[in-house]
Amino acid sequence: MMADSALGLLRPDTLDSQDGIGVINPADGGLIAHARLYDIGEITAMIEAADAARHGWAARTAKDRSDVLRAWYDLIVDHAEELALLMTLESGKPLAEARAEVKYGAAFIEWFSEEARRAYGEVIPSFATDKRVLTLRQPVGTCAAITPWNFPLAMITRKVAPALAAGCSIIVKPADATPLSALALETLAHRAGVPDTLFRVTPARNSPAAGDLFCTHPLVRKISFTGSTEVGKVIMAKAAGQVKRLSLELGGNAPFIVFDDADLDRAVAGALASRFRNAGQTCVCANRFLVQAGIHDAFVERLAAAVAQLRVDNGINASSTMGPLIDDRAVKRVSGLVARAIEEGAVRVGGSATAPEAGSFHAPVVLAGVTAEMAIASQEIFGPVAPVLRFEDEAEALRIANDTPFGLAAYIFTTDAARQWRMMEGLEYGMVGVNDGLISTEVAPFGGVKESGFGREGSSHGLADYMNVKYCLVGGL
Ligand SMILES: NC(=O)c1ccc[n+]([C@@H]2O[C@H](COP(=O)([O-])OP(=O)(O)OC[C@H]3O[C@@H](n4cnc5c(N)ncnc54)[C@H](O)[C@@H]3O)[C@@H](O)[C@H]2O)c1
Ligand SMILES: O=C[C@H](O)CS(=O)(=O)O
């Protein structure tokens, strides 16, 4: 019975409080898992315990840390189905997407179990015969992470894995809506050999207060935040007081640019995957479609037809290919953006996949006749809406694409290699997909520019965010 195995993942003390967050199995109404909420005093104690534990962890060999991370990865793979179910029950995302997220999130742990052994220093050719110059790479220290609800497992492993690989300790405050898969990750980490106090997940009774604590506690030397640009700016301002290291993975407004010479089938498939994954609640989702005049009508017609085939339903149902939004407030916000776009002249294209009456669902929508001046083209929609803008030439597309405070992901579809290079170099974004709508991978440095943040997660760059570089000069030789 899944309920029992999911219970098995969580420590008993997360089930003893009644003032927490629980998830109920829709099959039988039974309580599957329940997370207690921690107050500021308890989180303070966790920070202090984590700081005490980091010295022993940093003193272990890189191979030893690597082996523990690998054991954690293996346990996640063994429990992948339970983790996916927990994620679907707490977020609503289709089980197939939850399974993909478990695999994607685990890949960061596997990757950094390998990177842990490559935190190389350098010996630098000296400027004097009696001196030697070398560098050391050392862990930043005690870290804190704040994560969002939309990818409740992967956004945690993408921070915790490099932190542990580097020799740091870390406390994670998950999103209020999705603490359970985070707690299950913690349980498996401790089972793999990560010291209990070195890595803790702390659902907070008061999230802003927990964030303030991370920003002001002197033992916290780095904060890694993933969430909205609005909150990221709050964190950045408050962390300035102690000049803490920061990684900020923030909001996006991804342009999805389709040129006349694009492979239409590939562009439509990429559009569907990029815009409607996680019901559009993804930071790197295509947020606006810039389509060249010659291919515009065919693209809109084909995209609308594909969207009408989406099966909108609770993710727990195997037939679901698009789940609900995270809550009713999100539905109201997205509906308001669509209504405003139509008032401003946009036109809804094609039929709409039906959505269940009960639950925070929003049917997928394709809008044509959108202009860059409309709110829906400048705000992060974070919902299943595809606004389509028409453009004439490459210079116009690049101007529209870059005319935004955001700079996370961008996508171009063209078979012209020279144009691919011009656009890859001209787009002011941290990540560019070329003829592909799904670009996220642990092997590449994920992150943004401008108001989409800074810092990189994944790749060989990801470890640097949790390490300091120290140089030593040895004289008198
Ligand atoms: N760039 C990325 O990698 C990435 C990944 C996922 C989500 N996001 C962005 O996150 C947003 C959606 O996620 P969300 O709704 O959870 O974002 P959010 O900013 O509302 O919340 C993110 C986290 O911050 C916490 N938080 C909220 N207010 C806070 C405060 N005042 N002080 C400290 N912590 C606070 C929340 O509890 C949550 O844990 C979107 O903008 C999306 O683009 C970005
Ligand atoms: O929502 C933001 C996530 O980073 C998206 S992804 O899972 O990394 O593609």
Side-chain angles (χ1 to χ4, degrees), residues 268 272 298-310 349-353 366:
V268 171
L272 204 67
F299 175 83
V300 169
E301 181 184 347
R302 292 281 297 280
L303 179 60
V307 166
Q309 299 306 310
L310 289 170
V349 180
S352 170
V366 176

Side-chain angles (χ1 to χ4, degrees), residues 231-251:
V231 176
K233 289 179 178 177
V234 170
I235 301 285
M236 186 172 181
K238 291 184 177 176
Q242 293 176 5
V243 195
K244 294 180 192 283
R245 287 278 295 270
L246 279 177
S247 295
L248 297 177
E249 296 285 358
L250 306 179

Side-chain angles (χ1 to χ4, degrees), residues 84-320:
L85 174 67
L86 209 48
M87 203 188 314
T88 290
L89 290 172
E90 62 179 353
S91 71
K93 66 173 63 178
L95 207 45
E97 289 191 17
R99 290 181 182 122
E101 181 180 343
V102 173
K103 186 176 178 186
Y104 171 60
F108 285 92
I109 299 171
E110 182 187 39
W111 176 267
F112 284 106
S113 75
E114 296 154 358
E115 287 299 298
R117 303 181 67 188
R118 291 170 181 76
Y120 301 140
E122 307 152 287
V123 174
I124 298 168
S126 179
F127 58 95
T129 55
D130 64 340
K131 304 177 193 295
R132 297 295 181 269
V133 184
L134 60 99
T135 64
L136 300 175
R137 290 174 69 192
Q138 296 179 306
V140 166
T142 296
C143 303
I146 301 171
T147 56
W149 48 261
N150 63 335
F151 288 85
L153 183 142
M155 298 304 99
I156 290 178
T157 59
R158 171 160 115 173
K159 299 173 186 303
V160 174
L164 297 181
C168 296
S169 56
I170 186 163
I171 305 293
V172 178
K173 203 292 297 176
D176 302 346
T178 54
L180 299 174
S181 35
L183 285 164
L185 272 181
E186 177 206 67
T187 297
L188 294 177
H190 295 164
R191 208 175 283 174
V194 175
D196 281 4
T197 55
L198 190 80
F199 162 41
R200 287 298 303 274
V201 169
T202 170
R205 195 178 302 283
N206 179 330
S207 281
D212 289 353
L213 175 65
F214 291 160
C215 290
T216 57
H217 196 297
L219 291 179
V220 173
R221 290 312 312 149
K222 174 188 169 74
I223 299 170
S224 181
F225 173 80
T226 295
S228 63
T229 292
E230 175 194 1
V231 176
K233 289 179 178 177
V234 170
I235 301 285
M236 186 172 181
K238 291 184 177 176
Q242 293 176 5
V243 195
K244 294 180 192 283
R245 287 278 295 270
L246 279 177
S247 295
L248 297 177
E249 296 285 358
L250 306 179
N253 180 12
F256 189 104
I257 307 170
V258 183
F259 289 95
D260 286 345
D261 65 344
D263 175 327
L264 182 58
D265 289 338
R266 192 168 180 84
V268 171
L272 204 67
S274 178
R275 170 70 277 185
F276 297 97
R277 176 164 70 110
N278 202 25
Q281 301 169 118
T282 299
C283 60
V284 290
C285 268
N287 201 57
R288 52 207 166 117
F289 292 83
L290 313 183
V291 185
Q292 196 164 16
I295 199 172
H296 174 277
D297 295 351
F299 175 83
V300 169
E301 181 184 347
R302 292 281 297 280
L303 179 60
V307 166
Q309 299 306 310
L310 289 170
R311 290 188 297 282
V312 185
D313 197 357
N314 189 310
I316 198 69
N317 297 326
S319 62
S320 171

